[in-house]
Amino acid sequence: CELAPTLGVREARSADFNAKRMQLLESADAREFYAGQFRQRQGGTAILNSPRVYAELVGIQTNLYKNFIVRSWSLLAEHGIAGLLHPDGPYDDANGGKFRRAIYPRLRAHYHHKNELQLFLDVDHHTDYSINIYAGTSGDIRFRHMSNLFHPQTIAASISHNRATEAVPGIKSDDNRWSIRPHGHRVVTVTERELQLFADLLEEDGADAKTSRLPQLHSQELVGVIAKI
């Protein structure tokens, strides 16, 4: 609270704030400051939830990073590329079909990570996030997809890996460490065909493939398993 910083420092409860609110707003300067802050907050919230400005986010729980994804697309040139690291929520939100319909035609690569190696020290080690490469314009759906990554160095090494006879490494190594070993079969190419398989498995009957949630596929072989299921 800018009007009484000690309340924030002492982590005062909401009841304490409410009890002292009228005292804090006794002066005209304080009331003017409060009104200005209130208008900014309410205006910002209205913009971030606006169906006109962020039509792709209608119907889902929005937050700032989803707004940032949509805004980044409008900043790209026709042949531009954006790389964003953000939470993986858009891909598993049961209500996020409309957003995914906008994402998939722009998506060129999706690399799902787990923070178990604590690459982000101030983030809980259970946290999932992903590196996402978006194109400046929509096109046919075709993107690289990798899941269960613990370090980004596994990405390039898997793309260049050409020893197909090697077994695909698991999530953990033989010595019970989080595996960062690359393999070419870790890289899954997703097109509308694969999205249809995912929709048949994960969504209601007749769901549009372009709105399907994206499962965490550890290797190419799992696509065949899903097809059989």
Side-chain angles (χ1 to χ4, degrees):
C1 178
E2 289 85 351
L3 294 176
T6 55
L7 285 176
V9 172
R10 295 171 181 168
E11 298 182 356
R13 296 173 300 174
S14 297
D16 295 330
F17 279 113
N18 292 333
K20 296 185 177 182
R21 180 175 297 172
M22 298 311 297
Q23 298 176 22
L24 294 174
L25 298 178
E26 285 180 351
S27 73
D29 288 344
R31 289 195 296 273
E32 183 178 354
F33 174 80
Y34 179 86
Q37 293 294 308
F38 179 82
R39 288 193 296 269
Q40 289 183 31
R41 294 288 180 89
Q42 291 298 104
T45 299
I47 287 292
L48 294 177
N49 289 281
S50 170
R52 279 182 174 273
V53 181
Y54 296 102
E56 298 88 347
L57 302 180
V58 172
I60 64 174
Q61 180 65 46
T62 61
N63 55 42
L64 196 56
Y65 84 85
K66 292 176 183 175
N67 295 97
F68 195 89
I69 294 170
V70 175
R71 180 56 54 213
S72 72
W73 297 342
S74 67
L75 300 176
L76 291 174
E78 180 180 356
H79 301 292
I81 292 291
L84 300 179
L85 187 154
H86 59 67
D88 216 42
Y91 301 104
D92 59 17
D93 185 346
N95 297 318
K98 185 174 182 178
F99 193 23
R100 287 189 289 272
R101 189 200 299 272
I103 286 177
Y104 289 142
R106 292 180 178 271
L107 191 62
R108 296 297 173 262
H110 169 256
Y111 303 120
H112 163 262
H113 287 69
K114 296 176 181 292
N115 196 40
E116 293 291 355
L117 297 183
Q118 290 283 267
L119 300 185
F120 296 96
L121 292 175
D122 57 343
V123 177
D124 183 82
H125 70 99
H126 297 103
T127 301
D128 289 29
Y129 62 92
S130 58
I131 298 172
N132 302 269
I133 310 300
Y134 298 108
T137 56
S138 298
D140 294 335
I141 296 176
R142 186 178 184 86
F143 59 90
R144 286 174 173 159
H145 171 51
M146 295 183 71
S147 294
N148 301 324
L149 293 165
F150 302 101
H151 198 289
Q153 71 184 33
T154 307
I155 299 170
S158 294
I159 292 172
S160 61
H161 182 273
N162 58 7
R163 296 183 295 278
T165 56
E166 292 183 356
V168 176
I171 292 178
K172 284 197 169 184
S173 61
D174 293 340
D175 57 356
N176 202 37
R177 297 177 181 271
W178 300 107
S179 177
I180 61 172
R181 189 160 67 86
H183 197 287
H185 285 197
R186 291 290 308 279
V187 185
V188 179
T189 299
V190 177
T191 67
E192 194 166 344
R193 172 187 173 276
E194 284 72 30
L195 288 180
Q196 185 62 63
L197 291 176
F198 306 155
D200 292 342
L201 178 68
L202 300 172
E203 311 300 342
E204 296 181 357
D205 292 345
D208 184 351
K210 295 179 182 179
T211 67
S212 175
R213 283 170 287 180
L214 185 64
Q216 295 177 7
L217 300 175
H218 190 74
S219 68
Q220 297 172 4
E221 286 75 12
L222 287 177
V223 177
V225 173
I226 291 176
K228 290 185 181 298
I229 292 175

